[in-house]
Amino acid sequence: MPFDRPTPRLLEAQAAWLAPARARLLRRADVARRRSVLDLACGCGTITEELIRRAGGEVTALDRNHEALTDRPKNFRGATVVRGDAERLPFADGTFDLVFCQFALMWLDAPVAAREIRRVLAPGGALAAIEPDYGGMIEHPPEIAVADLWLVGLRRAGADPCAGRKLPSMLSQAGFEVRADLLDRVEPPSPLRFDMLAELPLNDAERRALEHARRADSALARAAQVVHLPMFLITAEVTEKV
């Protein structure tokens, strides 16, 4: 089966890991005063229910995958659910005042998606996005390093593993006023990162390398390891419509 997205279990773990950074980002985007919010490429709604709790108005959840939209129906209670393409959004100009996405633009034609996001945002609206940059991964000791596997696996699956670093200039060119921060804490590494990597289309040699790193990881204490994935926390505001 072709790779589409991590399993719901891993998406939930990823969402929990990013919860503090996401809370800071959403506060910066004034989520509590936003009256119409789009959860772009929402998957199984892991973040949708959080947006429903925190937003000041209605939340719309969009994804192209029907199975994802129906896998966790409780996550969408209180939201309008739409099946659609993030690169051809089925909404009128100026529909939303906040668009949120997490690990989504790396899977899209980002300039096309940015233009669509800007189109559906009202004046004064904002995009809040969390996107990684696997090209800048820091791993120690070398026995646990799998950055090269992430790069090849994500590219083979159709993603841009270095999307994060490209977003500030790309969004500026799309007409946004951009602020970009980086995740500022190094957390203890989770062995679930290997499970997520294993879902990518790796060849046999790459899978053997992954299992070698997994075994090395399990033999080491968490305190003996450093694994840091650079994470871009983006707020991009629409100052006026063109």
Side-chain angles (χ1 to χ4, degrees), residues 221-240:
R222 294 283 89 99
Q225 305 177 49
V226 172
V227 177
H228 180 68
L229 172 62
M231 202 73 61
F232 281 77
L233 311 178
I234 302 284
T235 48
E237 296 184 349
V238 176
T239 55
E240 62 181 15

Side-chain angles (χ1 to χ4, degrees), residues 173-213:
Q173 291 170 12
F176 289 94
E177 184 176 308
V178 181
R179 173 176 169 178
D181 293 339
L182 285 169
L183 192 65
D184 58 357
R185 295 185 60 184
V186 178
E187 302 286 353
S190 169
L192 289 177
R193 70 190 189 277
F194 297 114
D195 294 343
M196 190 169 288
L197 178 53
E199 293 189 352
L200 293 175
L202 303 176
N203 63 32
D204 290 343
E206 291 158 355
R207 292 197 178 277
R208 287 193 294 271
L210 170 59
E211 290 310 310
H212 175 80

Side-chain angles (χ1 to χ4, degrees), residues 112-230:
V112 172
R115 289 193 294 272
E116 276 293 272
I117 291 167
R118 193 181 192 284
R119 180 183 65 78
V120 302
L121 279 169
L127 165 68
I130 302 178
E131 294 290 335
D133 194 315
Y134 287 87
M137 280 190 76
I138 300 169
E139 299 171 287
H140 181 79
E143 292 81 5
I144 66 167
V146 291
D148 289 346
L149 300 181
W150 279 111
L151 292 173
V152 69
L154 285 165
R155 289 190 179 111
R156 196 175 289 148
D160 181 353
C162 300
R165 71 185 67 180
K166 302 172 184 177
L167 289 178
S169 61
M170 185 271 293
L171 290 169
S172 294
Q173 291 170 12
F176 289 94
E177 184 176 308
V178 181
R179 173 176 169 178
D181 293 339
L182 285 169
L183 192 65
D184 58 357
R185 295 185 60 184
V186 178
E187 302 286 353
S190 169
L192 289 177
R193 70 190 189 277
F194 297 114
D195 294 343
M196 190 169 288
L197 178 53
E199 293 189 352
L200 293 175
L202 303 176
N203 63 32
D204 290 343
E206 291 158 355
R207 292 197 178 277
R208 287 193 294 271
L210 170 59
E211 290 310 310
H212 175 80
R214 193 196 292 267
R215 288 193 297 271
D217 172 85
S218 64
L220 291 168
R222 294 283 89 99
Q225 305 177 49
V226 172
V227 177
H228 180 68
L229 172 62

Side-chain angles (χ1 to χ4, degrees), residues 39 56 71 90 96 206 217:
D39 187 3
D71 186 79
F96 302 100
E206 291 158 355
D217 172 85

Side-chain angles (χ1 to χ4, degrees), residues 36-121:
S36 183
V37 177
L38 174 62
D39 187 3
L40 184 74
C42 63
C44 58
T46 307
I47 312 301
T48 307
E49 57 179 348
E50 180 179 334
L51 293 172
I52 292 168
R53 291 195 309 270
R54 301 193 59 179
E58 298 181 356
V59 174
T60 299
L62 176 136
D63 201 274
R64 66 184 179 186
N65 188 304
H66 174 74
E67 291 182 2
L69 293 173
T70 56
D71 186 79
R72 299 283 195 277
K74 67 179 182 64
N75 289 350
F76 296 110
R77 289 174 187 162
T80 299
V81 179
V82 177
R83 184 181 181 188
D85 189 338
E87 296 173 13
R88 292 183 294 275
L89 291 172
F91 308 110
D93 294 4
T95 299
F96 302 100
D97 58 7
L98 178 65
V99 174
F100 173 81
C101 63
Q102 177 174 292
F103 279 64
L105 294 172
M106 64 183 293
W107 293 100
L108 300 171
D109 184 331
V112 172
R115 289 193 294 272
E116 276 293 272
I117 291 167
R118 193 181 192 284
R119 180 183 65 78
V120 302
L121 279 169

